[in-house]
Amino acid sequence: MTTLLLSNPASLNHLTPPGHPERPDRMRAVALTMAEDRFSALTRGEAPEGDLDTVALCHDNHYIDELRHIAPTTGMAYIDGDTAMSPGTWEAVMRGVGGAVAATDAVMKGETANAFVATRPPGHHAEINKSMGFCFFDNAAIAARYAQRKYGIARAAVVDFDVHHGNGTQDIFWADSTVMYCSTHQMPLFPGTGASGERGEHDTVVNAPLASEDGGLKFRAAFDNLILPQLRKFAPELIIISAGFDAHRRDPLATLNLDATDFGWVTRKLMDVADATAGGRIVSVLEGGYDLQGLKESVGEHVIALMGA
Ligand SMILES: [Zn+2]
């Protein structure tokens, strides 16, 4: 079995203001890397549009309607200083959801060993009823809930190594004992949540905050000592990765100072857990990563690891 790469062609039409770090060039950078010979064994496809009923597994219906009406036909509609919609945003967002869902279908049906969804905008800051931090709908969270509803997965895990805390995913699963949410993130940093004492109503939220310039050794220790043991104990039947690469040392938004190889390392560690408890099933969804060179190197290490190389 191979690794599935789903790309979101509408991602290029989600425009952000000049100078915004979350920009279409990120998708072009990922596409350039995925076009290298070493990725020729990937199975490739395009993310289909998701449907609103699936979005409603994680987001409030009133919020979904509101966002659909905010989506502009010309110009930009600002939700906050960081988060804006252009005319192409809605399709990009809905294909992000559809990509996460289609990847989950392919993995759950055993058509592929694992999958990576190359999409933007990212999702992990989107709360049940709030857009923020460049995010509108939480693709990773939606994939986890969708797998539960459609395939009867008893326990799913979302593991988030983006340098920012996934406040949206934590919000969605805070009181849900069937989904574990694990995150490493730089702290203090946007959005301000993710202290180690935030553990959810059922002890299924695992936050491992790291400090500025902690680097790869402390990142790996957070996984070895805290996240991986909790994850093994929880024994998820599917692992969703919120794959953000803004912890890379070149990234302009943070100073955690990871190297691309750290992302390969953590990917293989998560594959070990997935092999032990989830039949190897992993769906990885792109989140952040704002230095194009750092993003290319990191996504390369991540996907090569998923391919078993
Ligand atoms: Zn981030």
Side-chain angles (χ1 to χ4, degrees):
M1 278 202 296
T2 59
T3 292
L4 173 66
L5 168 67
L6 286 182
S7 304
N8 177 356
S11 278
L12 293 174
N13 301 325
H14 164 51
L15 306 181
T16 48
H20 197 290
E22 206 295 282
R23 59 207 191 277
D25 279 350
R26 299 180 60 235
M27 279 297 99
R28 297 186 181 100
V30 172
L32 272 174
T33 298
M34 294 297 109
E36 294 171 11
D37 281 350
R38 59 190 172 129
F39 298 108
S40 59
L42 287 169
T43 304
R44 291 162 197 262
E46 287 193 350
E49 271 204 50
D51 62 63
L52 294 177
D53 288 344
T54 312
V55 176
L57 294 173
C58 291
H59 295 283
D60 184 72
N61 273 312
H62 179 73
Y63 163 67
I64 297 169
D65 280 349
E66 198 177 59
L67 197 64
R68 199 161 46 139
H69 287 108
I70 290 171
T73 50
T74 59
M76 307 286 288
Y78 282 82
I79 288 165
D80 61 37
D82 294 330
T83 314
M85 301 182 86
S86 73
T89 300
W90 183 258
E91 188 189 347
V93 168
M94 292 309 294
R95 282 189 185 243
V97 170
V101 165
T104 303
D105 278 330
V107 167
M108 290 308 305
K109 289 175 181 167
E111 296 166 0
T112 185
N114 51 39
F116 177 67
V117 185
T119 191
R120 64 176 284 278
H124 71 152
H125 294 307
E127 298 188 344
I128 294 169
N129 56 19
K130 188 180 180 187
S131 306
M132 59 183 275
F134 323 157
C135 301
F136 302 93
F137 295 147
D138 192 332
N139 302 315
I142 291 167
R145 277 258 165 87
Y146 172 80
Q148 292 189 300
R149 297 296 156 88
K150 174 121 188 232
Y151 298 99
I153 289 279
R155 291 174 313 284
V158 179
V159 181
D160 183 338
F161 53 68
D162 188 281
V163 81
H164 302 97
H165 180 242
N167 58 293
T169 312
Q170 174 167 298
D171 177 52
I172 289 163
F173 297 124
W174 183 259
D176 186 339
S177 64
T178 69
V179 179
M180 174 167 273
Y181 175 64
C182 305
S183 176
T184 49
H185 44 275
Q186 184 175 325
M187 202 170 188
L189 192 68
F190 180 89
T193 49
S196 53
E198 296 169 23
R199 301 177 63 165
E201 285 186 14
H202 306 279
D203 252 4
T204 46
V205 171
V206 183
N207 282 312
L210 297 165
S212 173
E213 304 192 4
D214 263 359
L217 285 179
K218 286 188 174 163
F219 171 79
R220 294 182 188 208
F223 271 92
D224 277 335
N225 300 332
L226 182 65
I227 290 179
L228 294 169
Q230 295 270 347
L231 206 51
R232 278 190 214 101
K233 203 166 125 193
F234 184 72
E237 296 165 52
L238 171 68
I239 295 178
I240 312 288
I241 301 179
S242 263
F245 301 102
D246 40 10
H248 189 279
R249 64 172 66 253
R250 291 178 58 100
D251 201 274
L253 297 195
T255 50
L256 202 52
N257 293 353
L258 299 195
D259 294 311
T261 50
D262 291 313
F263 296 106
W265 177 88
V266 71
T267 305
R268 282 184 283 271
K269 288 287 181 179
L270 294 174
M271 290 168 76
D272 289 344
V273 178
D275 284 343
T277 74
R281 291 185 289 264
I282 290 181
V283 173
S284 174
V285 182
L286 181 65
E287 302 281 1
Y290 303 101
D291 176 82
L292 298 183
Q293 185 59 35
L295 176 61
K296 287 170 74 172
E297 290 173 11
S298 303
V299 82
E301 291 290 322
H302 176 59
V303 174
I304 278 287
L306 287 176
M307 294 169 75

